[in-house]
Short mmCIF file of all heavy atoms in Angstrom, two decimals:
data_model
loop_
_atom_site.label_atom_id
_atom_site.label_comp_id
_atom_site.label_asym_id
_atom_site.label_seq_id
_atom_site.Cartn_x
_atom_site.Cartn_y
_atom_site.Cartn_z
N GLN A 55 13.09 -19.98 -1.29
CA GLN A 55 12.07 -20.54 -2.18
C GLN A 55 10.88 -19.58 -2.23
O GLN A 55 10.47 -19.01 -1.24
CB GLN A 55 11.63 -21.90 -1.65
CG GLN A 55 10.72 -22.63 -2.61
CD GLN A 55 10.40 -24.02 -2.12
OE1 GLN A 55 10.57 -24.34 -0.96
NE2 GLN A 55 9.92 -24.84 -3.02
N ASN A 56 10.32 -19.39 -3.42
CA ASN A 56 9.16 -18.52 -3.65
C ASN A 56 9.45 -17.05 -3.35
O ASN A 56 8.55 -16.29 -3.07
CB ASN A 56 7.94 -18.99 -2.85
CG ASN A 56 7.48 -20.35 -3.31
OD1 ASN A 56 7.62 -20.71 -4.46
ND2 ASN A 56 6.94 -21.11 -2.40
N THR A 57 10.71 -16.66 -3.38
CA THR A 57 11.07 -15.26 -3.16
C THR A 57 11.72 -14.73 -4.42
O THR A 57 12.62 -15.36 -4.97
CB THR A 57 12.05 -15.11 -1.98
OG1 THR A 57 11.42 -15.63 -0.81
CG2 THR A 57 12.42 -13.68 -1.74
N LEU A 58 11.25 -13.58 -4.86
CA LEU A 58 11.84 -12.96 -6.04
C LEU A 58 13.21 -12.43 -5.70
O LEU A 58 13.45 -11.99 -4.57
CB LEU A 58 10.94 -11.83 -6.52
CG LEU A 58 9.55 -12.25 -6.96
CD1 LEU A 58 8.71 -11.03 -7.29
CD2 LEU A 58 9.62 -13.17 -8.15
N PRO A 59 14.13 -12.41 -6.65
CA PRO A 59 15.49 -11.92 -6.38
C PRO A 59 15.54 -10.39 -6.35
O PRO A 59 16.15 -9.76 -7.20
CB PRO A 59 16.30 -12.50 -7.53
CG PRO A 59 15.31 -12.61 -8.65
CD PRO A 59 14.00 -12.94 -7.99
N ILE A 60 14.86 -9.81 -5.38
CA ILE A 60 14.85 -8.35 -5.21
C ILE A 60 15.65 -8.03 -3.95
O ILE A 60 15.42 -8.64 -2.91
CB ILE A 60 13.42 -7.82 -5.08
CG1 ILE A 60 12.61 -8.14 -6.34
CG2 ILE A 60 13.41 -6.32 -4.80
CD1 ILE A 60 11.15 -7.79 -6.25
N GLU A 61 16.57 -7.10 -4.06
CA GLU A 61 17.40 -6.76 -2.91
C GLU A 61 16.54 -6.20 -1.79
O GLU A 61 15.52 -5.56 -2.01
CB GLU A 61 18.48 -5.76 -3.32
CG GLU A 61 19.50 -6.40 -4.25
CD GLU A 61 20.75 -5.61 -4.38
OE1 GLU A 61 21.13 -4.90 -3.43
OE2 GLU A 61 21.38 -5.70 -5.44
N ASP A 62 16.98 -6.48 -0.54
CA ASP A 62 16.21 -6.09 0.64
C ASP A 62 15.90 -4.59 0.68
O ASP A 62 14.80 -4.19 1.03
CB ASP A 62 16.94 -6.50 1.91
CG ASP A 62 17.00 -8.01 2.08
OD1 ASP A 62 16.15 -8.71 1.50
OD2 ASP A 62 17.91 -8.49 2.78
N TRP A 63 16.87 -3.75 0.33
CA TRP A 63 16.66 -2.30 0.41
C TRP A 63 15.57 -1.86 -0.56
O TRP A 63 14.78 -0.96 -0.27
CB TRP A 63 17.95 -1.52 0.16
CG TRP A 63 18.47 -1.64 -1.24
CD1 TRP A 63 19.36 -2.57 -1.72
CD2 TRP A 63 18.12 -0.84 -2.37
NE1 TRP A 63 19.58 -2.38 -3.06
CE2 TRP A 63 18.84 -1.31 -3.50
CE3 TRP A 63 17.28 0.26 -2.55
CZ2 TRP A 63 18.74 -0.75 -4.76
CZ3 TRP A 63 17.18 0.82 -3.81
CH2 TRP A 63 17.91 0.32 -4.90
N LEU A 64 15.49 -2.51 -1.74
CA LEU A 64 14.48 -2.16 -2.72
C LEU A 64 13.11 -2.70 -2.29
O LEU A 64 12.10 -1.99 -2.37
CB LEU A 64 14.86 -2.71 -4.09
CG LEU A 64 13.90 -2.39 -5.23
CD1 LEU A 64 13.72 -0.89 -5.39
CD2 LEU A 64 14.40 -3.01 -6.53
N ARG A 65 13.08 -3.91 -1.77
CA ARG A 65 11.83 -4.50 -1.30
C ARG A 65 11.21 -3.63 -0.20
O ARG A 65 9.99 -3.51 -0.10
CB ARG A 65 12.08 -5.91 -0.78
CG ARG A 65 10.81 -6.64 -0.43
CD ARG A 65 11.10 -8.08 -0.06
NE ARG A 65 11.46 -8.89 -1.20
CZ ARG A 65 10.60 -9.39 -2.07
NH1 ARG A 65 9.32 -9.17 -1.93
NH2 ARG A 65 11.01 -10.13 -3.07
N ALA A 66 12.03 -3.01 0.63
CA ALA A 66 11.53 -2.18 1.73
C ALA A 66 10.85 -0.91 1.25
O ALA A 66 10.00 -0.36 1.95
CB ALA A 66 12.68 -1.84 2.67
N ILE A 67 11.17 -0.43 0.04
CA ILE A 67 10.59 0.84 -0.41
C ILE A 67 9.58 0.70 -1.54
O ILE A 67 8.81 1.62 -1.79
CB ILE A 67 11.68 1.85 -0.83
CG1 ILE A 67 12.52 1.30 -1.97
CG2 ILE A 67 12.53 2.23 0.35
CD1 ILE A 67 13.51 2.30 -2.55
N VAL A 68 9.55 -0.45 -2.21
CA VAL A 68 8.63 -0.64 -3.33
C VAL A 68 7.20 -0.78 -2.80
O VAL A 68 6.95 -1.51 -1.85
CB VAL A 68 9.01 -1.90 -4.15
CG1 VAL A 68 7.94 -2.24 -5.17
CG2 VAL A 68 10.33 -1.68 -4.85
N ARG A 69 6.29 -0.03 -3.38
CA ARG A 69 4.89 -0.05 -2.97
C ARG A 69 3.99 -0.16 -4.20
O ARG A 69 4.40 0.14 -5.32
CB ARG A 69 4.53 1.24 -2.22
CG ARG A 69 5.27 1.42 -0.91
CD ARG A 69 4.73 0.46 0.14
NE ARG A 69 5.35 0.61 1.42
CZ ARG A 69 6.28 -0.22 1.90
NH1 ARG A 69 6.71 -1.21 1.17
NH2 ARG A 69 6.79 -0.04 3.09
N CYS A 70 2.75 -0.56 -3.97
CA CYS A 70 1.77 -0.62 -5.03
C CYS A 70 1.54 0.78 -5.57
O CYS A 70 1.28 1.71 -4.79
CB CYS A 70 0.46 -1.20 -4.49
SG CYS A 70 -0.90 -1.16 -5.67
N PRO A 71 1.64 0.97 -6.88
CA PRO A 71 1.46 2.31 -7.44
C PRO A 71 0.01 2.79 -7.39
O PRO A 71 -0.24 3.98 -7.56
CB PRO A 71 1.93 2.15 -8.89
CG PRO A 71 1.75 0.71 -9.19
CD PRO A 71 1.97 -0.01 -7.90
N VAL A 72 -0.94 1.91 -7.13
CA VAL A 72 -2.35 2.30 -7.08
C VAL A 72 -2.80 2.59 -5.65
O VAL A 72 -3.41 3.62 -5.38
CB VAL A 72 -3.24 1.20 -7.73
CG1 VAL A 72 -4.71 1.55 -7.62
CG2 VAL A 72 -2.84 0.98 -9.19
N THR A 73 -2.50 1.66 -4.72
CA THR A 73 -2.99 1.79 -3.34
C THR A 73 -1.94 2.29 -2.36
O THR A 73 -2.29 2.71 -1.26
CB THR A 73 -3.52 0.44 -2.82
OG1 THR A 73 -2.42 -0.47 -2.71
CG2 THR A 73 -4.59 -0.12 -3.73
N GLY A 74 -0.66 2.19 -2.74
CA GLY A 74 0.41 2.60 -1.83
C GLY A 74 0.75 1.55 -0.79
O GLY A 74 1.58 1.79 0.08
N SER A 75 0.13 0.37 -0.87
CA SER A 75 0.38 -0.68 0.12
C SER A 75 1.63 -1.48 -0.24
O SER A 75 2.13 -1.45 -1.35
CB SER A 75 -0.83 -1.59 0.25
OG SER A 75 -1.05 -2.29 -0.96
N GLU A 76 2.10 -2.23 0.76
CA GLU A 76 3.27 -3.10 0.58
C GLU A 76 2.95 -4.18 -0.45
O GLU A 76 1.81 -4.59 -0.62
CB GLU A 76 3.61 -3.74 1.92
CG GLU A 76 4.82 -4.62 1.90
CD GLU A 76 5.12 -5.24 3.25
OE1 GLU A 76 4.37 -5.02 4.21
OE2 GLU A 76 6.11 -5.97 3.33
N LEU A 77 3.99 -4.64 -1.12
CA LEU A 77 3.85 -5.72 -2.11
C LEU A 77 4.55 -6.97 -1.59
O LEU A 77 5.66 -6.89 -1.05
CB LEU A 77 4.46 -5.31 -3.45
CG LEU A 77 3.77 -4.15 -4.15
CD1 LEU A 77 4.62 -3.62 -5.29
CD2 LEU A 77 2.40 -4.57 -4.66
N VAL A 78 3.89 -8.11 -1.74
CA VAL A 78 4.47 -9.38 -1.31
C VAL A 78 4.54 -10.33 -2.50
O VAL A 78 3.82 -10.16 -3.49
CB VAL A 78 3.67 -10.02 -0.15
CG1 VAL A 78 3.72 -9.15 1.09
CG2 VAL A 78 2.23 -10.28 -0.56
N ASP A 79 5.39 -11.34 -2.38
CA ASP A 79 5.55 -12.32 -3.45
C ASP A 79 4.28 -13.14 -3.63
O ASP A 79 3.59 -13.47 -2.67
CB ASP A 79 6.69 -13.27 -3.13
CG ASP A 79 8.03 -12.58 -3.07
OD1 ASP A 79 8.16 -11.46 -3.57
OD2 ASP A 79 8.95 -13.19 -2.53
N GLY A 80 4.01 -13.48 -4.87
CA GLY A 80 2.89 -14.35 -5.18
C GLY A 80 3.15 -15.09 -6.47
O GLY A 80 4.16 -14.85 -7.15
N LEU A 81 2.25 -15.99 -6.80
CA LEU A 81 2.31 -16.72 -8.06
C LEU A 81 0.99 -16.51 -8.78
O LEU A 81 -0.08 -16.63 -8.17
CB LEU A 81 2.54 -18.22 -7.83
CG LEU A 81 3.91 -18.63 -7.32
CD1 LEU A 81 3.94 -20.12 -7.03
CD2 LEU A 81 4.99 -18.26 -8.32
N GLY A 82 1.08 -16.21 -10.05
CA GLY A 82 -0.12 -16.01 -10.85
C GLY A 82 -0.77 -17.32 -11.22
O GLY A 82 -0.24 -18.40 -10.94
N PRO A 83 -1.93 -17.27 -11.87
CA PRO A 83 -2.63 -18.48 -12.28
C PRO A 83 -1.81 -19.36 -13.21
O PRO A 83 -2.00 -20.57 -13.26
CB PRO A 83 -3.87 -17.96 -12.99
CG PRO A 83 -3.89 -16.51 -12.86
CD PRO A 83 -2.61 -16.07 -12.25
N ASP A 84 -0.86 -18.75 -13.91
CA ASP A 84 0.00 -19.50 -14.82
C ASP A 84 1.29 -19.99 -14.15
O ASP A 84 2.15 -20.57 -14.80
CB ASP A 84 0.34 -18.66 -16.05
CG ASP A 84 1.00 -17.34 -15.69
OD1 ASP A 84 1.19 -17.05 -14.47
OD2 ASP A 84 1.31 -16.57 -16.61
N GLY A 85 1.42 -19.74 -12.83
CA GLY A 85 2.61 -20.16 -12.09
C GLY A 85 3.77 -19.21 -12.18
O GLY A 85 4.82 -19.46 -11.62
N GLU A 86 3.59 -18.10 -12.87
CA GLU A 86 4.65 -17.10 -13.00
C GLU A 86 4.67 -16.20 -11.75
O GLU A 86 3.62 -15.94 -11.15
CB GLU A 86 4.43 -16.24 -14.24
CG GLU A 86 4.60 -17.01 -15.54
CD GLU A 86 6.01 -17.53 -15.74
OE1 GLU A 86 6.97 -16.77 -15.50
OE2 GLU A 86 6.15 -18.69 -16.14
N PRO A 87 5.85 -15.69 -11.37
CA PRO A 87 5.93 -14.83 -10.20
C PRO A 87 5.23 -13.50 -10.42
O PRO A 87 5.16 -12.99 -11.54
CB PRO A 87 7.43 -14.64 -9.99
CG PRO A 87 8.04 -14.90 -11.32
CD PRO A 87 7.15 -15.88 -12.01
N GLU A 88 4.72 -12.95 -9.33
CA GLU A 88 4.09 -11.63 -9.36
C GLU A 88 4.20 -11.01 -7.98
O GLU A 88 4.54 -11.69 -7.01
CB GLU A 88 2.63 -11.73 -9.80
CG GLU A 88 1.77 -12.59 -8.94
CD GLU A 88 0.37 -12.80 -9.49
OE1 GLU A 88 0.12 -12.51 -10.67
OE2 GLU A 88 -0.49 -13.25 -8.72
N LEU A 89 3.96 -9.74 -7.91
CA LEU A 89 3.90 -9.02 -6.64
C LEU A 89 2.46 -8.62 -6.39
O LEU A 89 1.80 -8.07 -7.28
CB LEU A 89 4.80 -7.78 -6.67
CG LEU A 89 6.30 -8.06 -6.74
CD1 LEU A 89 7.08 -6.76 -6.90
CD2 LEU A 89 6.77 -8.80 -5.49
N VAL A 90 1.96 -8.88 -5.18
CA VAL A 90 0.57 -8.65 -4.84
C VAL A 90 0.50 -7.60 -3.73
O VAL A 90 1.24 -7.70 -2.74
CB VAL A 90 -0.11 -9.96 -4.37
CG1 VAL A 90 -1.57 -9.74 -4.06
CG2 VAL A 90 0.07 -11.06 -5.41
N ASN A 91 -0.42 -6.62 -3.88
CA ASN A 91 -0.55 -5.62 -2.82
C ASN A 91 -1.22 -6.26 -1.60
O ASN A 91 -1.99 -7.20 -1.72
CB ASN A 91 -1.24 -4.35 -3.29
CG ASN A 91 -2.69 -4.53 -3.69
OD1 ASN A 91 -3.23 -5.63 -3.72
ND2 ASN A 91 -3.34 -3.44 -4.03
N THR A 92 -0.89 -5.74 -0.42
CA THR A 92 -1.33 -6.37 0.82
C THR A 92 -2.62 -5.79 1.36
O THR A 92 -3.23 -6.39 2.24
CB THR A 92 -0.24 -6.25 1.90
OG1 THR A 92 0.09 -4.87 2.06
CG2 THR A 92 0.99 -7.04 1.51
N SER A 93 -3.02 -4.64 0.90
CA SER A 93 -4.26 -4.06 1.39
C SER A 93 -4.77 -3.07 0.37
O SER A 93 -4.10 -2.74 -0.60
CB SER A 93 -4.04 -3.36 2.73
OG SER A 93 -3.15 -2.27 2.57
N GLY A 94 -5.95 -2.60 0.63
CA GLY A 94 -6.54 -1.62 -0.27
C GLY A 94 -7.51 -2.28 -1.23
O GLY A 94 -7.65 -3.49 -1.28
N SER A 95 -8.17 -1.43 -1.92
CA SER A 95 -9.12 -1.89 -2.91
C SER A 95 -8.84 -1.12 -4.18
O SER A 95 -8.76 0.11 -4.14
CB SER A 95 -10.54 -1.61 -2.42
OG SER A 95 -11.48 -2.09 -3.35
N PRO A 96 -8.63 -1.77 -5.25
CA PRO A 96 -8.72 -3.20 -5.49
C PRO A 96 -7.45 -3.93 -5.08
O PRO A 96 -6.38 -3.34 -4.99
CB PRO A 96 -8.91 -3.28 -7.01
CG PRO A 96 -8.15 -2.11 -7.53
CD PRO A 96 -8.33 -1.03 -6.48
N ARG A 97 -7.57 -5.25 -4.86
CA ARG A 97 -6.40 -6.10 -4.65
C ARG A 97 -5.81 -6.35 -6.03
O ARG A 97 -6.52 -6.80 -6.92
CB ARG A 97 -6.77 -7.42 -4.00
CG ARG A 97 -7.12 -7.36 -2.54
CD ARG A 97 -5.90 -7.15 -1.65
NE ARG A 97 -4.84 -8.10 -1.92
CZ ARG A 97 -4.47 -9.05 -1.10
NH1 ARG A 97 -5.05 -9.20 0.05
NH2 ARG A 97 -3.50 -9.88 -1.43
N LEU A 98 -4.54 -6.05 -6.19
CA LEU A 98 -3.89 -6.14 -7.49
C LEU A 98 -2.65 -7.01 -7.44
O LEU A 98 -1.96 -7.06 -6.41
CB LEU A 98 -3.51 -4.75 -7.99
CG LEU A 98 -4.65 -3.77 -8.20
CD1 LEU A 98 -4.10 -2.38 -8.48
CD2 LEU A 98 -5.54 -4.23 -9.33
#
């Protein structure tokens, strides 16, 4: 539940293109899935 259907090997290497930080599952204000960076500025 609340996990995007991304394969484990891909999840392990995908990073935020701006900060280089790990991305975790999230939900946007509209309830749609999104990936959120875990650190850095700005939070995206």
Side-chain angles (χ1 to χ4, degrees):
Q55 188 175 18
N56 296 329
T57 300
L58 298 175
I60 299 174
E61 292 196 29
D62 292 337
W63 67 269
L64 181 58
R65 187 174 288 281
I67 60 173
V68 170
R69 296 287 182 257
C70 173
V72 177
T73 66
S75 64
E76 182 180 2
L77 295 167
V78 296
D79 296 343
L81 290 175
D84 57 359
E86 292 296 316
E88 59 187 15
L89 292 175
V90 182
N91 65 356
T92 56
S93 64
S95 182
R97 286 287 308 249
L98 299 171

